[in-house]
Amino acid sequence: MPNTYSQLYIQTVFAVKYRNAVIEKEWRSELMAVIGNLINETGCKTIIVNGVEDHVHCFFSLVPKLAISDVMQSVKAKSSKWVNENGFMLDRFEWQGGFGGFSYNKSAIENVYNYIANQETHHHRESFKEEYTKLLIEFEVNYDEDYYFEELI
C-alpha cells in the first residue's frame, strides 16, 4: 500500500484446546521459534514469542495490510499442523478457538518483552486464567467469562 505507514505493537495470547498442559519443555522452544517465523512470513515482525505448557504469548509489529485475526488464523493453523506432523503428541494437537489481542505504544516494548520472556516464572504465581482475565480488565475488554474459556466435555 503506497503512502500507508503505521507502527502497531500487538500482543496476542492463545491457549491449547481445553487449556490442556501439553506443550512439553523438550519441544516448546522449537514451537515458539516456528510461531515467530510464521508471524514473520505474514510480513509482520516478531519481537518475542514465549509460553508455557498451556498457552502462548506473541508480541509483534502488525503491518497495515493485515488484520490481527488474519495473522492469528495463519499462525495457529500452521503451528498446530507442525506439531501434529512432527509427532510430538500421541493425540491430535489443537489450539482453542479465538485469542486475546492487545495493543501497546513504543514505550512499553521493553516491559512487554520482559513480561513475555519470563512466562515460566510468572506462572508459578498466577494461573493462565487469572493472567488472561487481568489483561481483559486492564484493557477494558468486555467479556463473558462463561464463554472465553472452553470447558472439558
Side-chain angles (χ1 to χ4, degrees):
M1 285 189 236
N3 300 317
T4 301
Y5 307 102
S6 69
Q7 190 59 274
L8 304 170
Y9 298 103
I10 304 297
Q11 177 186 193
T12 57
V13 183
F14 51 94
V16 174
K17 191 161 189 176
Y18 306 121
R19 296 181 325 280
N20 288 336
V22 296
I23 303 173
E24 300 291 337
K25 281 189 177 189
E26 293 77 25
W27 50 274
R28 187 179 306 154
S29 62
E30 193 174 356
L31 173 61
M32 300 305 146
V34 165
I35 290 171
N37 287 333
L38 290 169
I39 291 169
N40 291 340
E41 283 179 7
T42 69
C44 297
K45 182 181 176 201
T46 300
I47 299 169
I48 187 171
V49 175
N50 197 19
V52 291
E53 50 280 324
D54 65 346
H55 72 280
V56 173
H57 292 253
C58 304
F59 190 39
F60 58 95
S61 61
L62 182 68
V63 294
K65 68 180 182 175
L66 294 175
I68 301 169
S69 57
D70 296 332
V71 176
M72 287 298 94
Q73 180 180 10
S74 175
V75 165
K76 289 172 71 178
K78 291 178 180 179
S79 62
S80 62
K81 181 179 179 187
W82 179 84
V83 171
N84 289 317
E85 286 179 347
N86 280 281
F88 293 121
M89 299 177 49
L90 296 175
D91 296 324
R92 180 177 163 76
F93 178 85
E94 293 181 64
W95 296 111
Q96 186 160 308
F99 63 91
F102 310 97
S103 62
Y104 295 87
N105 63 37
K106 188 173 182 172
S107 65
I109 292 174
E110 186 176 351
N111 287 340
V112 176
Y113 180 95
N114 290 333
Y115 177 80
I116 293 172
N118 292 303
Q119 278 295 291
E120 200 164 321
T121 302
H122 173 77
H123 285 290
H124 288 297
R125 299 183 306 269
E126 182 175 60
S127 73
F128 171 53
K129 188 171 184 178
E130 291 167 329
E131 173 190 49
Y132 192 64
T133 302
K134 278 184 182 178
L135 282 168
L136 293 171
I137 291 168
E138 177 184 342
F139 283 86
E140 299 178 358
V141 175
N142 292 326
Y143 68 95
D144 183 340
E145 195 169 338
D146 291 337
Y147 296 101
Y148 79 86
F149 277 101
E150 286 184 14
E151 294 301 329
L152 290 171
I153 300 171

